[in-house]
Every structure is written in structure tokens, then in C-alpha cells.
Amino acid sequence: IHRHITFLGRPDLSDYTIQGDVMATRDGRKAGDIGLINSGYTMELLGAYQVIQVRSWQSELRMMQQVEFPWEFGKWYTMKMKVETQDGKGIIKGKVWPKGGAEPEAWSITVEDPLPIEHGAPGLSGFSPAPIYYDNISITSNE
């Protein structure tokens, strides 16, 4: 089984940001996906589709949105994912940029969930028929 989820904290956490450096590789036609988990939401770079996807729990996929985002295999990227609840809605924001580059001001993807998941453990998500890598993971409270 190539799909992996690793949790890094307590399931009662909320209103936080997770950030880390990620790299996915390709082995022939086998392309890796790599991402972060925040409060019951997953944000992944999908290798075969070249998109950033944000979704609720995969086992109960009631919410999913994606945007085109061409990225390169074998290159490090920084991913940042912020989840907060505002006016009874979940607001999920994500950024991706080349590692070592300046963080963009604008979010790469923003999703509103009318039925927010208010708590959940931070974590790492990946599909690895080819090697995937994580580094410099940080979890901070939203300000």
C-alpha cells in the first residue's frame, strides 16, 4: 500500500498552521503525491495531475477543491497550510513555493467549508509509488 498518513499531534488541536519542505519523485510512470494535514483537511500536490488539492477526510470525501499548479519532481518545495473557523465556516488556505525562495504574499489555494471540521491532528500525507521526502516540519498557533 503506497498511501500513507502520519499524525504529529493531538486530535483536539484547532486554529493552527502547519508548514514543511517536501519533495516527490517520479519513477517512470509512477508519480508521487505529497502533502500536509491540518484539522481534518488534507492539502496535497498531486503528481499525476499537477494540481494542489484540498479535501476533507479521504474516507468521507464530502468536500474537495483543486487548482492547477505545475511543479517539478525531484525539486524541494515549501508547503504551508492554515485552517481557521470564521463565522461558522472552515477557511482552509494553502501556499506552495520553491524551497529557499521568498514566501508569496497570496495564498495558492483558499477553500471555504460550510460544515467545518473544527479539530484534528496535524500530519503528513503521501502516495509513494516513488520516493517522497519531508523536512523542516513546524506547527504553530494561528495569530
Side-chain angles (χ1 to χ4, degrees):
I1 297 175
H2 298 294
R3 173 92 24 215
H4 305 280
I5 295 175
T6 302
F7 293 106
L8 305 172
R10 300 184 334 258
D12 62 340
L13 296 178
S14 63
D15 293 313
Y16 61 89
T17 299
I18 182 169
Q19 180 173 315
D21 297 327
V22 301
M23 181 175 63
T25 65
R26 173 175 235 144
D27 180 11
R29 291 181 29 209
K30 299 174 185 173
D33 302 336
I34 193 161
L36 305 174
I37 300 170
N38 184 330
S39 300
Y41 299 98
T42 301
M43 181 179 78
E44 280 188 328
L45 292 172
L46 302 183
Y49 300 100
Q50 294 292 289
V51 298
I52 300 171
Q53 183 184 85
V54 171
R55 64 181 180 268
S56 60
W57 287 120
Q58 191 165 356
S59 61
E60 186 182 324
L61 188 60
R62 77 175 163 74
M63 186 279 297
M64 185 276 295
Q65 290 185 24
Q66 59 191 29
V67 296
E68 289 184 20
F69 187 82
W71 56 282
E72 298 176 38
F73 294 101
K75 181 176 178 179
W76 284 95
Y77 290 88
T78 299
M79 294 183 77
K80 183 175 189 175
M81 182 182 187
K82 179 179 182 178
V83 176
E84 55 193 346
T85 303
Q86 294 177 355
D87 301 322
K89 297 178 184 176
I91 308 297
I92 305 98
K93 297 179 181 179
K95 291 183 184 183
V96 182
W97 67 95
K99 180 181 176 182
E103 179 179 343
E105 286 188 36
W107 293 93
S108 304
I109 187 169
T110 300
V111 178
E112 266 190 30
D113 184 359
L115 301 169
I117 304 170
E118 295 184 18
H119 301 89
L124 309 175
S125 174
F127 175 65
S128 58
I132 58 175
Y133 302 92
Y134 302 86
D135 200 9
N136 303 316
I137 305 298
S138 66
I139 301 158
T140 56
S141 179
N142 294 342
E143 297 177 26

